[in-house]
Each structure stands twice: as structure tokens, then as C-alpha cells.
Amino acid sequence: MRPVRTIRPSLLAALLVLELPVLALAQSTPAQSGPFQVPSGLARAESVAASAAGAASSAGFWTSWFRRSDQAKREQPHWMTPMATTTPRLEQEFRYDVLWQQARPGVPYTENIGNSKGLELIPLDGLEVIASVPPYLIHHSASSPDGFGDVQMLVKYRVRAEDEAHGNYILTVFFASTFPTGGSNGQTDAVVTPTLAYGKGYGPFDLQGTLGAGLPTGNEAAIGRTYAWNNTVQYHLGELWWFELEANATWYQDGKNGGKEQTYLTPGLVVGRIPLGSRLKLAVGAAMQFAISQFHTSVHSPIVSVRLPF
């Protein structure tokens, strides 16, 4: 990362010296209106000084931010975020996914534009906050109106981690909240999801997994509880290629699917992180979820993902 240059006091003094001729001209020019007028040259000098101080303060804030987030990423394994499983790693990026779901063969796909992904930031040591962009659902059905889904927020707290040279593992806890903003395309009440996340690397291979419970804050009999267990095995080839196979299992308690279980296998590939600048990088991925359980809410689901780590 290139160092951020700050405005030195000597530079401010030089700017003021350059303004002296302007000050002299302003003193010989009558004010346009009003009994008390500040000479325009002096006002401009004060404006330059204020702008310089503001720029230095802003530069210092972001320098400190990126120093902290870079350190947080160095202290953990450098695996790729899987396509469906939420990584236990702390990440700082903007991510946008598109998911197509088909309830059964022959019926139109439901398009999920965004798939509850969004901005991921590391504001504090060991802490990540994810603010999702509300997904937009296109049903291709007259009986199901299109529209935005629920808003989701997720907070990660990294309990322990070591990079590839010192253990190659990570343990993290999540707390997610889904807010009922989507109307007919969302839930009637908020849902909170505490989750335990883990990962371990073995050379070019790594395993990343999560175990969590979706707990409605109201109307539990209708919404139901869900218990999800996701595991991903990745293989890193070369610098950019990340091959993966995921197993995504969900158990339902109460609600319309109470007592049922579904499992998907999700093979996928992510290519990245491709440098786009001094900080910005690019990763793109694709995967296909295949239902392997007797009960399933969709037959198969293609996924594409674009990430911009910074």
C-alpha cells in the first residue's frame, strides 16, 4: 500500500505567502456590500487552510483504517470465500451475487438479484460488519409479485486464527439479523441467526464450515426455525484458481416445512484475487447447487458472484 502524504505546516505557510499579493489587491478594492466584509484574499487563504486540514484528517482516518484491516487479514489464512458458505475469515470487500432457483422441473426460475450480499468492512480489530443490499426477486409468475426482499446485517467476531505459516486455522462466531422489509417477498418478523464458523487448511486444501440456527423473534409457528450446517472443501491451484465442493444441509422445525430436511451439493470455481489497482482486486465465481435430498425447496440453483476486495 502506498503511503498517504499529509499536508505539512510548511506547505500551508507557502500557500499563505502566495496569497499576499491577493490580500494587497483585496485591501485596495471596495467591498461589494455590507458594513463588515472580510477581504476576499484572506477568506480564500482561510478556506485553503481549512481544506488542507480536512484533507489531512481524512487521509489519516483512512490510513489508520486500512492499516488495521490489512493487519487483521494478515493474521488469518488467506483462503477464498466460498460461493454459498459464509467464510469464517474477516473480509473487506463489496460482493454482489445472482441466484436462480427452480422449484421443480418445468416451472420458471425465480431470480434473486443480489442474494443478500453487499458491503463487508473491518471497522475494529477482530470484527467484521456486513451490510447487505436488499435482494430483488423476480418470480416470473402472476401469483407472486416481484420486489425487494428483507434487509440483513451480519457481525463476525474472530475468536482465534493463525495464518498459513503458524497453524492455518480460524474460529469465528457470527450474529446475523434479518429485518422484515420485504413484504410478500420476506418474513413477517425479524429472524436472528447465531452461528459458529470454523476453518482448517492443509497445504493447497482447506475446509471452511458454519453451524447456525435461524430463530424468529415472533410468529415462530408460521416462520419456523431452521438449523443449517454448511461445509466447503477447496483446492487452490496456481495463484488464482479456487475449486470447491460444498455440502449445504438445512433442518426445519415448525413452519410449513417443519420436520423436513434438505441437502445440496454445490460444486464451484472462484477465480481471484486479480489486482485492479494499488488496493482494489477482483474475484469472480460460479457454482451450481444440486438437491440430493428427497425434500427440497428448489431442484437446482446456478449462482454467479462478483467480489471487489480492497
Side-chain angles (χ1 to χ4, degrees), residues 28 103 213 263:
S28 63
T263 301

Side-chain angles (χ1 to χ4, degrees), residues 44-238:
R44 191 178 302 117
E46 292 175 346
S47 176
V48 169
S51 298
S57 175
S58 176
F61 172 82
W62 289 113
T63 298
S64 176
W65 180 292
F66 287 126
R67 184 184 300 116
R68 178 176 58 251
S69 61
D70 289 347
Q71 180 64 25
K73 289 184 282 187
R74 281 193 297 268
E75 295 171 344
Q76 64 185 3
H78 298 79
W79 314 320
M80 181 60 68
T81 299
M83 289 294 297
T85 302
T86 303
T87 182
R89 299 172 56 258
L90 304 187
E91 187 59 272
Q92 187 161 263
E93 64 183 8
F94 182 81
R95 177 176 174 179
Y96 205 72
D97 289 11
V98 180
L99 169 69
W100 293 264
Q101 293 177 302
Q102 187 180 40
R104 59 185 183 277
V107 302
Y109 282 88
T110 294
E111 300 173 40
N112 186 324
I113 311 298
N115 198 24
S116 295
K117 309 302 181 184
L119 183 62
E120 307 182 19
L121 297 172
I122 305 175
L124 299 171
D125 292 338
L127 192 74
E128 178 186 342
V129 176
I130 303 177
S132 74
V133 176
Y136 190 82
L137 304 177
I138 304 173
H139 298 283
H140 299 288
S141 172
S143 60
S144 300
D146 302 341
F148 288 100
D150 291 342
V151 171
Q152 178 176 304
M153 294 286 293
L154 187 147
V155 177
K156 297 181 183 180
Y157 176 72
R158 190 177 63 195
V159 178
R160 189 166 179 82
E162 297 287 354
D163 64 13
E164 287 83 350
H166 301 91
N168 204 13
Y169 70 89
I170 188 169
L171 181 66
T172 309
V173 292
F174 303 166
F175 188 84
S177 297
T178 302
F179 304 97
T181 60
S184 61
N185 286 302
Q187 302 289 359
T188 59
D189 292 84
V191 178
V192 297
T193 307
T195 301
L196 177 67
Y198 49 86
K200 182 70 175 79
Y202 303 91
F205 292 93
D206 68 80
L207 169 68
Q208 302 179 61
T210 61
L211 179 62
L215 310 173
T217 59
N219 202 16
E220 190 273 339
I223 299 175
R225 299 180 179 181
T226 57
Y227 305 94
W229 189 23
N230 299 294
N231 287 283
T232 302
V233 175
Q234 284 185 334
Y235 176 71
H236 187 199
L237 179 64

